[in-house]
Amino acid sequence: MLKKYVYFVLFLLLPSIVSGREITDMAGRKISVPEKISRVYGVSPPVTNLIYSIDPNLIAALNSPVINEEKTMLRPEYKNLPVAGGIFGQGRSLNMETIIGLKPDLVIFWALKDGGVNSQYAEKMKDAGIPSVFLDLDRLEAYPKAYRFLGDILGRKERCEALASYSEESMKSVAAAVSGIPEKERTTVYYAEGTDGLSTERSSSLHAELIFLAGGRNVHQGDAPDHYGMEKISLEQVMLYDPEVILVQEKAFFDSVFSDKRWQSVKAVKNKRVYLIPRSPFNWFDRPPSFMRALGLKWLANILYPSRYPIDPAAETKKFYGIYLGMELKDTQTREILGL
């Protein structure tokens, strides 16, 4: 009862959205949104990161405090934004009072993630007089359409078209390079998560989709048991898989894997083909899966098939950061990002 009263009081403080326009979001919902949108709240990090790439000034609040990987590369004002929570990870929730108090013009949900929870919060937003849209961001292939959708409703068509076009070019160029590789000749890849390297994702998981898109073969085949992932397996199982390449999320594991005697018999370790995934300011591969995967896909294809996809990783990184983040990277920054 108290929360309903708070929402009602805050609703009275909100600007009217009567003079809006009707649009259809990426989940097929017909929504009335304001003609001009200046402040947006994304309910999960993939959405918030996407908005940052379009225009950081649009972001009304963060999902979580800024982490070290982000602090040195993001705009100073971004670090001082309020934190309103979000729908991501495990046990996280939105702070409705904070969001309503911020008076965003629009709230954006990740459409296909936790659909039931999204709908419940969307109803609460509606009750509070805040319009919300659902955005499909599950797979990298959805990003060009998502950018163009937001370019239209946010009044930033030219900017979003440039971002969508790079994403499309990334997928097309890699697909063309790896399409002729026979299944038996595809590089086998193990995705090592957690500080012990023994959490991973199955081949159908969105968290590991870049392995497939880059022409690799995820050694942990099958359907993902749930959306969150991080399935635990044994070191003995990794030894049986004997991958040619290991992709690593946690630096602590990367720093230890070459000296840990238990891992020395794994082919990728013996051949020094273990790679720490770049993660500044946002992860290139996963957690969260974001627009950075457009660059991560090129990086990974070059690692798996350097002769088929012979890009200059440093030059491509500088190009991408200039387009998506408005940054002119120095050589030292580029080497640090790539771990060179």
Side-chain angles (χ1 to χ4, degrees), residues 159-208:
R159 169 69 178 157
C160 288
E161 182 58 36
L163 303 177
S165 295
Y166 182 100
S167 298
E168 287 176 332
E169 184 278 330
S170 174
M171 289 182 281
K172 287 180 181 177
S173 64
V174 171
V178 304
S179 62
I181 304 174
E183 183 65 25
K184 291 183 178 179
E185 296 178 15
R186 292 182 179 258
T187 303
T188 56
V189 182
Y190 171 65
Y191 176 30
E193 299 178 275
T195 54
D196 62 359
L198 294 174
S199 296
T200 193
E201 308 296 334
R202 291 186 180 265
S203 55
S204 69
S205 170
L206 69 90
H207 295 290

Side-chain angles (χ1 to χ4, degrees), residues 210-211 214 247 285 295-305:
L210 290 195
I211 296 173
L247 300 176
F285 187 88
L295 176 60
L297 177 59
K298 291 187 173 187
W299 168 79
L300 181 55
N302 177 253
I303 285 175
L304 300 184
Y305 306 106

Side-chain angles (χ1 to χ4, degrees), residues 96-148:
M96 284 295 296
E97 285 82 1
T98 299
I99 296 167
I100 295 172
L102 290 168
K103 305 177 185 177
D105 299 315
L106 183 69
V107 169
I108 303 177
F109 287 87
W110 179 1
L112 302 180
K113 180 177 172 57
D114 301 326
V117 176
N118 278 348
S119 297
Q120 292 172 20
Y121 277 113
E123 282 300 310
K124 291 181 180 179
M125 298 294 175
K126 183 180 179 182
D127 292 342
I130 304 174
S132 63
V133 297
F134 284 18
L135 202 65
D136 179 3
L137 291 179
D138 264 24
R139 302 285 173 176
L140 183 58
E141 66 180 8
Y143 273 69
K145 188 176 181 180
Y147 271 124
R148 292 182 175 114

Side-chain angles (χ1 to χ4, degrees), residues 161-316:
E161 182 58 36
L163 303 177
S165 295
Y166 182 100
S167 298
E168 287 176 332
E169 184 278 330
S170 174
M171 289 182 281
K172 287 180 181 177
S173 64
V174 171
V178 304
S179 62
I181 304 174
E183 183 65 25
K184 291 183 178 179
E185 296 178 15
R186 292 182 179 258
T187 303
T188 56
V189 182
Y190 171 65
Y191 176 30
E193 299 178 275
T195 54
D196 62 359
L198 294 174
S199 296
T200 193
E201 308 296 334
R202 291 186 180 265
S203 55
S204 69
S205 170
L206 69 90
H207 295 290
E209 73 161 337
L210 290 195
I211 296 173
F212 169 76
L213 293 177
R217 184 177 187 279
N218 188 337
V219 293
H220 199 50
Q221 290 286 301
D223 293 330
D226 56 47
H227 198 84
Y228 180 70
M230 295 283 286
E231 182 180 356
K232 292 297 292 186
I233 66 172
S234 66
L235 178 56
E236 289 72 22
Q237 183 62 65
V238 178
M239 291 175 175
L240 287 172
Y241 286 150
D242 202 18
E244 296 168 285
V245 165
I246 296 178
L247 300 176
V248 179
Q249 270 286 18
E250 298 292 339
K251 189 173 186 302
F253 174 67
F254 180 78
D255 288 341
S256 67
V257 68
F258 289 113
S259 59
D260 189 332
K261 293 180 180 178
R262 298 173 301 166
W263 286 82
Q264 301 312 302
S265 64
V266 179
K267 187 180 298 179
V269 179
K270 284 191 293 188
N271 295 332
K272 308 295 184 188
R273 297 195 72 189
V274 181
Y275 302 92
L276 181 63
I277 296 167
R279 57 189 309 156
S280 296
F282 310 123
N283 199 293
W284 290 19
F285 187 88
D286 183 30
R287 302 199 185 279
S290 76
F291 68 89
M292 299 292 289
R293 289 180 296 172
L295 176 60
L297 177 59
K298 291 187 173 187
W299 168 79
L300 181 55
N302 177 253
I303 285 175
L304 300 184
Y305 306 106
S307 60
R308 283 180 171 267
Y309 200 68
I311 64 167
D312 178 344
E316 195 63 36

